[in-house]
Amino acid sequence: MDTFGDEFNKYRSPLVSRYASKEMAYNFSDKKKFTTWRKLWIYLAKAEKVLRCKPNKLASRMQCLALGLPVTEAQVAEMESHAEDIDFAMAAEEESKLRHDVMAHVHTFAHCCPTAAPIIHLGATSCYVGDNTDLIMLRDGFDILLPKLARVIDRLSKFAEKYAGLPTLGFTHYQPAQLTTVGKRACLWLQDLAMDMRNLQRAREDLRFRGVKGTTGTQASFLQLFQGDHDKVEDLDRMVTEMAGFKKAYMVTGQTYSRKVDIDSLSPLASMGATIHKICTDIRLLANLKEIEEPFEKEQIGSSAMPYKRNPMRCERCCSLARHLIALLADPLQTASVQWLERTLDDSANRRISLPESFLTADIILSTLQNITEGLVVYPKVIERHIHHELPFMATENIIMAMVKAGGNRQDCHEKIRVLSQQAATVVKQEGGDNDLLARVQADPYFAPILGHLDNILDPKTFIGRAPQQVARFLSEEVRPLLEPYKAEIDVKIELEL
């Protein structure tokens, strides 16, 4: 059977085959993983061999002292020349014999680097390549997600600014409540996304390198290699950490870095999943009211049976995948809780799934949400009709206040309004008619003193409080400063695969 046909005879994760971006799919690919292993072996060899420099108190130049292990330039050069050309078939064959993925790749690397073979993985344990690679992938994963989140915030902030003053029905308990504005509601979404941005930034900055720690974290093998020289062991750890692009390494580890690091990395992703689920659910509810819709392509089909339908499929996708992202947080929580003493291997298979899937899923829903926020459609006339349907009830307090100012009695007015409101509610709920409270007020002689002011009393803009001012201040003081580090990447558009 040809390769193309064989591809469809086995399960493929839709996270990669259907949804994820190329950059995030590559970040957790075998190619990225195993080339990173080789780079880590090269870093280790270089650090074990390379010159260590420190200031010379007797001269202005730098005095360089060798770490003192028998690693040659030729061996390092040979390893560097084969960092990318991995024979995956050989590695798979070796693993089937050895039942050990790291040693399989040590042998595969050694096969194409015969001169360097004796010093590959010198003094290291499997977690040197395994855990350090995971930390690199987590760091790089955050670096992919953060600009995408910034773009979503940017698009939504422009939407909020545009509609900062457009009155709309507020809802509590999904029942009509005091008016807000379309832009102010978007700021509720933005506030949650801004919290997610800070959480992701903090998680990324808190990541450290496992470094060079040995089998149980004591660095005993390296202390032996350097004949008891503690300074050289610390220098080795520092140099490898810096070569890998990290500022710090964890000072203490067991065989692995603490699995609480995985909790701290996946927790902000799950939290962001909750944010996006709420945003997209709100849009779906508003789409049902025909007030706001996600983008809908010219030839897009909403339903195979009902041609008129415009289903919010992008928002539904986000909600569906966000639930998966939220659920994935249970994995690192469980894993961290059951790591015995210096480590157990029951973390491995779980982490192969939960770490990549969390970042892949977060990547997908951010790309999809960017597409949604770039094309949100607002229907002001529908919003206005809904307001006029409910506003007479909401305006009753304002009518009472106006009557009192005109010399009326507050209690008498309240009773009048109560009776008329109940009558209007009966028309709406039992007869299916329109809200005629305003007509009843206008027909009652009691309210004659304020009839000339009813239009002003019922102007929707008088019911939105400080919403426009809140939007302007929030965007200026909290949102725009958050986007500054991502200005160079903020205008990137994505082609969403539907």
Side-chain angles (χ1 to χ4, degrees):
M1 185 176 293
D2 60 48
T3 304
F4 181 79
D6 189 51
E7 180 183 354
F8 295 96
N9 286 321
K10 56 187 178 183
Y11 175 77
R12 298 181 302 158
S13 170
L15 291 177
V16 175
S17 67
R18 190 172 175 88
Y19 299 127
S21 67
K22 291 180 181 178
E23 61 267 28
M24 190 63 83
Y26 176 74
N27 188 54
F28 290 97
S29 67
D30 283 351
K31 180 73 173 178
K32 166 80 175 275
K33 176 179 179 179
F34 296 122
T35 55
T36 303
W37 283 14
R38 290 192 174 186
K39 288 175 184 176
L40 287 166
W41 284 320
I42 293 168
Y43 299 156
L44 182 62
K46 280 184 172 181
E48 288 172 337
K49 178 247 165 240
V50 80
L51 297 180
R52 171 171 63 88
C53 296
K54 63 183 181 181
N56 185 343
K57 295 180 180 179
L58 302 178
S60 59
R61 65 180 179 84
M62 299 294 287
Q63 178 187 26
C64 296
L65 305 172
L67 286 183
L69 293 185
V71 179
T72 67
E73 286 285 356
Q75 289 172 317
V76 172
E78 184 181 54
M79 293 169 73
E80 288 181 321
S81 68
H82 293 284
E84 301 283 341
D85 57 343
I86 299 174
D87 188 337
F88 286 100
M90 176 183 287
E93 184 178 346
E94 287 288 332
E95 187 172 355
S96 70
K97 292 187 298 185
L98 303 174
R99 298 297 178 187
H100 197 288
D101 56 349
V102 174
M103 286 309 300
H105 278 269
V106 168
H107 287 193
T108 303
F109 197 17
H111 179 79
C112 58
C113 299
T115 303
I119 56 92
I120 294 174
H121 201 64
L122 180 61
T125 185
S126 297
C127 284
Y128 167 69
V129 289
D131 271 31
N132 283 326
T133 294
D134 287 342
L135 289 163
I136 290 170
M137 287 178 165
L138 294 178
R139 178 198 65 193
D140 294 352
F142 280 123
D143 287 344
I144 293 170
L145 292 179
L146 282 164
K148 294 190 175 189
L149 178 54
R151 290 197 287 271
V152 170
I153 292 173
D154 173 73
R155 306 311 190 261
L156 200 52
S157 66
K158 291 175 180 175
F159 177 86
E161 186 173 39
K162 180 178 180 180
Y163 295 104
L166 180 61
T168 188
L169 280 178
F171 288 91
T172 59
H173 314 275
Y174 200 46
Q175 302 299 311
Q178 182 110 20
L179 298 192
T180 182
T181 69
V182 172
K184 170 62 189 297
R185 177 179 283 142
C187 285
L188 299 181
W189 303 336
L190 277 167
Q191 180 166 248
D192 290 352
L193 289 170
M195 292 172 68
D196 294 320
M197 172 70 85
R198 288 188 285 269
N199 288 340
L200 263 66
Q201 289 172 333
R202 182 165 49 247
R204 194 258 187 248
E205 291 305 312
D206 283 350
L207 279 176
R208 297 188 186 186
F209 203 51
R210 177 191 177 272
V212 180
K213 297 296 193 294
T215 55
T216 58
T218 65
Q219 300 177 307
S221 59
F222 297 102
L223 190 63
Q224 184 176 2
L225 281 173
F226 291 118
Q227 300 177 337
D229 190 327
H230 291 267
D231 289 340
K232 286 187 177 182
V233 175
E234 290 199 5
D235 283 340
L236 178 73
D237 201 2
R238 176 185 54 79
M239 282 191 282
V240 172
T241 296
E242 290 175 356
M243 280 189 258
F246 285 81
K247 296 177 182 178
K248 292 182 178 180
Y250 296 107
M251 293 184 69
V252 294
T253 71
Q255 187 172 94
T256 69
Y257 67 77
S258 169
R259 294 309 183 219
K260 283 185 70 68
V261 174
D262 295 342
I263 297 173
D264 289 349
S265 296
L266 268 56
S267 180
L269 301 186
S271 180
M272 185 177 71
T275 296
I276 294 175
H277 197 296
K278 184 265 193 295
I279 293 171
C280 291
T281 300
D282 283 355
I283 295 172
R284 290 164 67 191
L285 292 170
L286 295 169
N288 173 259
L289 298 175
K290 297 180 173 58
E291 293 189 355
I292 292 179
E293 284 184 346
E294 66 177 41
F296 197 87
E297 307 296 333
K298 183 178 180 181
E299 297 182 7
Q300 184 177 331
I301 295 174
S303 168
S304 61
M306 295 166 281
Y308 60 88
K309 293 194 74 178
R310 293 168 66 97
N311 296 332
M313 53 83 65
R314 293 170 176 84
C315 286
E316 289 173 318
R317 176 191 295 179
C318 283
C319 289
S320 182
L321 290 171
R323 291 200 303 274
H324 180 58
L325 181 55
I326 294 166
L328 283 168
L329 181 57
D331 281 336
L333 289 167
Q334 297 275 9
T335 297
S337 72
V338 297
Q339 287 300 286
W340 301 350
L341 306 176
E342 278 63 52
R343 83 84 55 101
T344 53
L345 194 59
D346 59 353
D347 63 340
S348 179
N350 185 291
R351 295 175 71 252
R352 289 175 192 263
I353 299 168
S354 60
L355 297 186
E357 286 203 357
S358 291
F359 279 83
L360 288 163
T361 307
D363 175 73
I364 296 160
I365 61 177
L366 281 175
S367 296
T368 308
L369 188 57
Q370 179 182 338
N371 179 264
I372 293 168
T373 53
E374 285 177 348
L376 276 177
V377 181
V378 177
Y379 297 106
K381 291 297 183 183
V382 177
I383 293 172
E384 183 181 358
R385 185 172 73 245
H386 290 160
I387 289 174
H388 287 161
H389 185 73
E390 300 290 344
L391 194 59
F393 289 144
M394 297 178 189
T396 53
E397 183 65 23
N398 289 24
I399 292 172
I400 293 171
M401 299 288 286
M403 280 297 297
V404 172
K405 288 180 181 179
N409 180 285
R410 192 268 177 195
Q411 313 312 328
D412 293 341
C413 186
H414 183 279
E415 179 60 20
K416 284 277 188 181
I417 289 289
R418 186 189 69 80
V419 172
L420 295 179
S421 296
Q422 295 296 329
Q423 291 171 352
T426 299
V427 171
V428 172
K429 296 178 180 179
Q430 296 185 17
E431 300 175 16
D434 291 332
N435 188 337
D436 64 357
L437 175 59
L438 183 56
R440 293 176 184 274
V441 170
Q442 291 171 326
D444 192 321
Y446 178 81
F447 295 99
I450 65 166
L451 291 184
H453 307 292
L454 275 182
D455 286 345
N456 290 334
I457 293 172
L458 294 171
D459 181 359
K461 289 188 178 295
T462 65
F463 290 83
I464 60 175
R466 299 189 63 254
Q469 291 74 23
Q470 289 178 344
V471 170
R473 183 181 176 192
F474 174 67
L475 295 180
S476 173
E477 295 184 17
E478 294 204 23
V479 175
R480 293 192 184 102
L482 202 60
L483 300 179
E484 278 297 315
Y486 309 98
K487 286 175 67 175
E489 301 169 274
I490 210 76
D491 292 328
V492 175
K493 286 187 174 290
I494 54 107
E495 291 295 328
L496 184 67
E497 293 290 339
L498 296 177

